[in-house]
């Protein structure tokens, strides 16, 4: 009668348990790095995006007027919200601030494989350090999270660059260039032909020779060559910073996953330094899995003290495509430790056993639907109960219950006093 | 520069860790009962509420038109969504269906203590059983969750009733009564004077004598007296069902928290049987903490096969008021197992130690901000690091690091090979 909205998903327990297992690895890894969990609102003032962010996002906002006439929006990303939160408490927060959170975001965009209108991200950010170690810690967390999910260097790579390299190289040409247009051309280069790519560069203001030269230089990705070619302070500083980040990443164990890729130019306007994107090494998942980078100016632009920042936000939908492709998607595992089966009027004794077992932390179900022996046994099987405890009227007259192992089908009778008795996790084998 | 929207909250790590601890208890308790986690969309078609739900909710919707002209809303509650999900897969889902989830909801309403426009609930529902054991399992889960949070019968009570009792008793009067108005009067009775209460009942169609008699009968809450007074099949069945639920709750360990309270009349239209609300026993938190009940008709009204259902949804904001009042609010505990302090150019060795310790599952931080010895030690103290491992250039020349216990301030030098070496969780005491 009512249908789900396009681009929004229902997660039934099977899919949800996979999503939860993935989230747990990302969050547990962040916890080991000392990132602290925060909680953030789903709705913010739309101006936080319309004032200055890239059109890419603004066109996709789920924005509306609330009942007081506020122009608000479902948040399409977390970064402006955490920047606002840092500004609001910048005196109180001891630096570096290291935050993590997982939650949905919303963008009205074309629905396709791995792209939904409601999508989940785990955001990890460090505020208050401009040192390369902060960038490297973000890369190291991302690498540890990916390997924690069962992926290896065979499966993924981080393509890494620096915001100032493309712009600085273009700037070094002694001609009038539309830098933004040229960067957009680079961003598109792997999806279009070489001729089209060069034409776009020429449209942006380069000569045909310059376009070819520039395209080769960027594709090559040789940092020393780039530095020598541009020979400007901006490019030299950018290259050195990128190298320092890679050196720190080496110490932190993430260097092996990084490939220098000067064609990497993250779309969002707020990035200022190192930027990177995670890709499927085989190219089978063709889109970027997720990305991140340094955004040193955002907090100041939000009215705060200048505060350097760097972060990354794995999106769970593209990540799950990669995990499935790599054969390490955590499949659903419905497990149940005990089902306590009632025959006849044995609810009181069954409930006593259920409560004793749950007090030991086990997953325990019993009949809440007035069902027959067979229906209860089928249900116990459907939830993969490991042990079924049968509380039957006749058995109970002899102060006994039947313990059934659901894998072997074997069973035995035991004294009600002995179940669970002093045992932490009794199974059939304890009574044989 | 940008402010947070009224009624929406930012959770910084301190408050967030309390919220997380609370959520973990609710979800872990549900897991022990065999409830399976689901994930649900934040946005649904507004018609799911405007078509038939109570005005109470409709006036509070954050609804808007999306870019395709769909009339959508931020979901103000979960029940219609889970009903839609059951309808969508009713053939595949084995019954009883037992689902749990925690997430935010949104209502545009007056902001006050414990009431926000964005609020978090843990929803727990059972579909496919009309038996009293299902109602009782919901009560038992709620009671176990509350006691798991550190509350006792001194702190909270479940006021329980049945939807058909009030209506059935009113129906038994041989006069023309506006039942809805009379029920609204009962709902308000503890907030107004007795005279005002009786006047409202008289406005609804009762005589002055009837009003006094009815008010006494309901306030008394004696089920046998109510059954005898009405003497109708509807009231008799309702009383029996309520008694059966309380009997099952006795076996399941939840009876001691239940008080029969015929004045309890949940506002939402879809309730059909037993309804209950959780209150602060001392009355210090004056509003209902949360509520639940049986809604046997909703799934059929959504176009599904008739499917009985019962559920409850603790809201975290009111719950936190009760936990604070009772002195069992889980306070923030920032804990860090290790801080690895770098002096001079010791990043590589420090990083090796950090990685070894994180591989053992510990929470470990190191410098990512190029800070001095003193600043690093202050930071280590601010994150409550238990042990600081000092990687100094001079020590490392002797293949040693210094292990400092932050509580005592004591420290000793140990061989780099021995840290962490074979130890799972080395502390200073391992080397003394």
């Amino acid at each position: 009668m009512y249908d789900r909205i396009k681009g929004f998903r229902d997660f039934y327990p099977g899919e949800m348990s996979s999503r939860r297992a993935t989230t747990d690895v990302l969050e547990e890894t962040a916890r080991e790095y000392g990132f602290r969990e925060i909680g953030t609102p789903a709705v913010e003032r739309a101006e936080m995006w319309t004032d200055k962010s890239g059109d890419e996002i603004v066109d996709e906002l789920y924005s509306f007027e609330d009942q007081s006439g506020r122009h608000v929006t479902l948040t399409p990303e977390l970064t402006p919200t955490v920047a606002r939160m840092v500004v609001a408490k910048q005196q109180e927060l001891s630096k570096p601030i290291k935050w993590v959170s997982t939650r949905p975001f919303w963008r009205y965009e074309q629905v396709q494989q791995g792209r939904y209108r409601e999508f989940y991200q785990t955001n990890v950010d460090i505020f208050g350090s401009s040192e390369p170690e902060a960038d490297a810690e973000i890369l190291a967390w991302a690498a540890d999270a990916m390997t924690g999910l069962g992926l290896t260097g065979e499966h993924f790579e981080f393509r890494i660059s620096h915001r100032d390299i493309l712009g600085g190289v273009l700037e070094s040409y002694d001609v009038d260039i539309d830098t933004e247009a040229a960067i957009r051309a680079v961003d598109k280069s792997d999806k279009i032909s070489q001729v089209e790519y060069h034409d776009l560069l020429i449209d942006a203001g380069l000569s045909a020779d310059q376009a070819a030269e520039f395209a080769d230089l960027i594709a090559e990705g040789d940092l020393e060559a780039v530095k020598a070619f541009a020979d400007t302070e901006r490019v030299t500083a950018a290259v050195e910073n990128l190298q320092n980040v890679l050196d720190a990443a080496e110490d932190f164990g993430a260097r092996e996953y990084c490939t220098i890729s000067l064609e990497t130019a993250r779309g969002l306007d707020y990035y200022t330094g190192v930027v990177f994107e995670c890709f499927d090494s085989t190219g089978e998942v063709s889109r970027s899995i997720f990305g991140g980078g340094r955004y040193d100016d955002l907090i100041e632009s939000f009215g705060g003290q200048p505060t350097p920042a760097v972060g990354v936000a794995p999106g769970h939908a593209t990540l799950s495509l990669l995990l499935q492709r790599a054969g390490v998607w955590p499949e659903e595992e419905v497990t149940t430790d005990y089902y306590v089966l009632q025959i006849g009027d044995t609810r009181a004794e069954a409930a006593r056993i259920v409560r004793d077992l749950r007090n030991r932390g086990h997953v325990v179900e019993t009949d809440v639907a007035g069902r027959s022996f067979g229906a209860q046994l089928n249900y116990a099987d459907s939830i993969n109960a490991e042990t079924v405890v049968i509380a039957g009227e006749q058995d109970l007259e002899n102060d006994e219950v039947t313990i059934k192992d659901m894998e072997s089908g074997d069973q035995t009778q035991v004294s009600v006093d002995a179940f669970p008795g002093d045992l932490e996790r009794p199974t059939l084998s304890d009574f044989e």
Side-chain angles (χ1 to χ4, degrees), chain A:
Chain A
M1 178 170 180
Y2 297 108
D3 58 339
R4 196 177 60 242
I5 297 172
K6 186 178 174 188
F8 288 73
R9 283 174 296 168
D10 295 328
F11 292 87
Y12 289 84
E15 246 191 304
M16 187 66 204
S17 76
S18 303
R19 188 180 120 195
R20 170 65 64 182
T22 306
T23 304
D24 283 350
V25 170
L26 298 179
E27 292 186 343
E28 173 58 20
T29 305
R31 204 183 63 82
E32 288 170 8
Y33 275 73
F35 290 93
R36 315 288 165 183
E37 189 180 16
I38 57 165
T40 53
V43 180
E44 294 269 12
R45 291 189 184 276
E47 288 77 24
M48 278 172 59
W49 285 269
T50 56
D51 280 354
K52 59 174 67 117
S53 269
D55 287 343
E56 181 204 336
I57 284 187
V58 168
D59 291 344
E60 297 167 356
L61 291 181
Y62 275 96
S63 63
F64 59 99
E65 277 206 359
D66 79 4
Q67 306 201 20
S68 307
R70 292 182 192 91
H71 187 209
V72 301
T73 186
L74 298 190
T75 50
E77 55 167 346
L78 190 66
T79 309
T81 294
V82 286
R84 177 182 61 66
M85 285 174 66
V86 169
V87 172
K89 299 226 178 187
Q90 57 190 349
Q91 301 310 327
E92 298 154 57
L93 295 164
S94 79
K95 311 252 177 10
I97 301 161
K98 296 169 67 173
W99 285 346
V100 59
S101 62
T102 302
R103 43 156 290 194
F105 298 92
W106 301 270
R107 293 188 193 185
Y108 189 86
E109 58 184 341
Q110 223 39 56
V111 176
Q112 50 179 272
Q113 199 198 24
R115 181 180 287 169
Y116 301 93
R117 290 177 178 169
E118 177 172 68
F119 57 96
Y120 292 80
Q121 283 184 350
T122 297
N123 276 261
V124 168
D125 293 276
I126 301 175
F127 303 91
S129 171
S130 56
E131 296 300 314
E133 284 82 2
D135 307 66
E137 182 159 272
I138 291 293
L139 288 165
W141 170 77
D144 270 1
M146 299 292 270
T147 55
L149 288 165
L151 298 167
T152 69
E154 307 277 292
H155 299 121
F156 71 94
E157 63 179 7
F158 298 146
R159 297 188 193 157
I160 186 166
S161 184
H162 189 293
R163 257 290 162 108
D164 281 342
I165 292 180
L166 278 183
V169 168
L170 288 164
E171 195 178 62
S172 71
Y173 280 99
D174 204 16
V175 289
D176 193 22
I177 297 172
D178 180 345
T179 310
E180 291 299 308
I183 290 175
R184 277 199 302 274
V186 175
D187 204 27
K188 275 190 207 163
S189 60
D190 62 345
K191 299 181 196 92
I192 56 182
S193 73
Q194 200 189 49
V195 174
E196 290 170 307
Y197 176 31
H198 288 192
D199 281 350
L200 286 174
L201 291 173
I202 292 164
D203 291 347
L206 292 171
S207 72
D209 284 352
Q210 287 171 332
E213 175 192 56
F214 173 80
D216 283 351
L217 183 73
I218 296 304
E220 188 69 28
D222 179 333
L223 292 181
E224 290 307 319
V226 165
K227 200 161 70 174
F229 178 86
D231 195 24
T232 65
E233 214 173 291
R234 183 180 174 199
V235 172
T236 300
V239 166
E240 276 175 14
N241 180 249
L242 178 53
Q243 280 167 330
N244 289 337
V245 168
L246 290 170
D247 287 348
E250 176 74 41
D251 285 347
F252 292 175
R255 178 66 184 87
E256 62 182 297
Y257 307 103
C258 298
T259 309
I260 295 165
S261 164
L262 303 183
E263 286 161 331
T264 295
R266 300 274 297 148
L268 299 171
D269 283 356
Y270 48 66
Y271 286 110
T272 57
V274 162
V275 288
F276 66 95
E277 294 195 337
C278 175
F279 278 87
D280 181 343
S281 302
T282 67
E284 207 171 307
V285 181
S286 60
R287 292 216 320 280
S288 151
I289 308 294
F290 58 82
R294 183 165 276 287
Y295 51 101
D296 284 348
D297 298 340
L298 188 66
I299 289 179
E300 190 174 7
S301 82
F302 273 26
Q305 298 295 326
T307 305
V310 58
V312 61
H316 295 206
T318 41
L319 186 55
S320 75
L321 291 182
L322 177 61
L323 293 171
Q324 283 161 21
R325 201 276 298 156
V328 295
W329 179 239
E331 292 295 340
E332 167 181 28
E333 258 186 83
V334 168
T335 59
T336 304
D337 300 317
Y338 299 93
Y339 183 87
V340 182
L341 195 153
Q342 304 166 37
I343 313 176
D345 184 14
T346 61
R347 190 180 68 197
E349 190 55 28
R352 195 270 306 162
I353 295 170
V354 167
R355 292 166 67 191
D356 280 356
L357 291 169
R358 282 189 191 140
N359 282 340
R360 288 162 170 73
H362 305 309
V363 177
V364 189
E365 292 204 49
T366 190
D367 183 40
V368 294
R371 296 218 261 195
S372 68
F373 175 86
Q376 288 185 64
L377 207 58
N378 277 344
Y379 179 75
D381 190 47
S382 79
I383 58 174
N384 296 326
E386 185 183 337
T387 299
V388 170
V389 182
I390 303 170
E393 278 182 346
Q394 283 180 324
D395 276 0
L396 282 176
E397 273 171 26
N398 304 323
D399 289 324
E400 289 185 330
V401 290
T402 299
I403 309 303
K404 186 181 185 71
D405 181 87
M406 288 295 276
E407 194 174 333
S408 66
D410 296 342
Q411 61 183 55
T412 193
Q413 280 157 313
V414 307
S415 154
V416 289
D417 296 333
F419 200 90
D422 298 331
L423 299 168
E424 259 313 300
R425 198 178 187 291
T427 59
L428 181 62
S429 59
D430 290 307
F431 303 100
E432 280 175 333

